[in-house]
Structure formats: structure tokens, C-alpha cells
Amino acid sequence: MNQPLAPAPQGLAALEARLRQDLSWLEIPAKQWVTPRLVDGQPVLDVAIIGGGMAGLAAAASLTHQGIVAPIFDQSPEGYEGPWATTARMETLRSPKQLTGPALGLPALTFRAWFEAQFGGEAWDALDKIPRLQWMDYL
Ligand SMILES: Cc1cc2nc3c(=O)[nH]c(=O)nc-3n(C[C@H](O)[C@H](O)[C@H](O)COP(=O)(O)OP(=O)(O)OC[C@H]3O[C@@H](n4cnc5c(N)ncnc54)[C@H](O)[C@@H]3O)c2cc1C
């Protein structure tokens, strides 16, 4: 039997459009539902997430999807959160590329979707471990 053709790159704009459609079908993000509160005349955050690495990003996105405002505060400049572009020494991730990571159960949010949108399915097949800086771009 013939192997299915590896998908050609569709571009990130097409992937974003697909993600928007998927989220819309799932009614995500939910409407904000926590009652706004003021303390000393200042609005109070529902949740503050300290650290915008993988865990903080996933937590913020997950809460936002559930209609809870959850801004991230990170001591590192934007684009340098986590170890990937700063303290990391290994050039690749340790996990195999098939582990989906912080995709929140949404296929269009996986590294593979992000990678194939730009480089196509043949490049995905040829990829061994994910380079750390590419992982940071994805995050
Ligand atoms: C080369 C390399 C390969 C790796 N491969 C894998 C792998 O394949 N799979 C895997 O699961 N893990 C891998 N790891 C481990 C990976 O680093 C962690 O899994 C991941 O970074 C944990 O995410 P995190 O959000 O918990 O923490 P981090 O990514 O470390 O993020 C924490 C964030 O919090 C911020 N922060 C900390 N304290 C404060 C504060 N007081 N105020 C404000 N901000 C603060 C930091 O600036 C940082 O941005 C690898 C690590 C390296 C270096």
C-alpha cells in the first residue's frame, strides 16, 4: 500500500486560522466569569502566574481558556523565559520529538503542527531531537 504523502508546509498563518476555528468550535476561551474586585480602588487579579516558562505558559493559557484572567510575571526579558536561550548547554531537548508538551490537548498547538506548518512533513520525519532554540520559538 502507498504511504500517505507527508504534508507540505501551509505556513503559520494557516495554522493560526485552524487553531482559531478549533477554539471557536470548542467555545474557547470561555467568557470571563470571576466577579471583578477592587481593593483600595485598584483592580485585583484573579490569578498572577509567577514565571513564564513551560509550566507558567501552560497554566496561563489553560486558565484563560476557562475564562479566568491569569497574566504572567517573569523576571527574565520576553523571549528569554526558561532555560532554553540562556542557561541551557545541551543543544536539543532530551525528550523524543513525539511527546506533545504543553499543547493543552489541542493538535494545532503541538510542536509538530508548528514545525510542519513551516517546514513540512518530510522535515518532521527527518528531525531527530528538537533544537532548544527552536523549542523556545515554539513556546
Ligand atoms: C537543554 C535542555 C533540555 C531539556 N530537555 C527537556 C525535555 O526534553 N523535556 C522536558 O520535559 N524537560 C526538559 N528540560 C527541562 C526543562 O528545563 C524543564 O522541563 C522546563 O523548563 C520546566 O518548566 P518550568 O516552567 O517549570 O520552569 P522554567 O522553564 O525554568 O521557567 C521558570 C520561569 O520562572 C521565572 N522565575 C523564576 N523565579 C521567578 C521569580 N521569583 N519572579 C519572576 N519570575 C521568576 C524564570 O525566569 C523562568 O522563566 C530540558 C532542559 C534543558 C536545559
Side-chain angles (χ1 to χ4, degrees), residues 38-107:
L38 295 178
V39 171
D40 298 333
Q42 299 291 318
V44 177
L45 296 173
D46 300 339
V47 176
I49 296 189
I50 310 302
M54 254 170 19
L57 272 182
S62 203
L63 287 164
T64 305
H65 287 182
Q66 293 171 56
I68 298 170
V69 178
I72 293 174
F73 299 88
D74 199 296
Q75 63 194 2
S76 302
E78 197 172 332
Y80 293 90
E81 300 90 345
W84 313 109
T86 53
T87 52
R89 290 295 170 263
M90 279 171 58
E91 285 308 322
T92 64
L93 266 65
R94 290 188 291 268
S95 302
K97 64 183 178 181
Q98 290 84 2
L99 294 190
T100 49
L104 308 178
L106 294 163

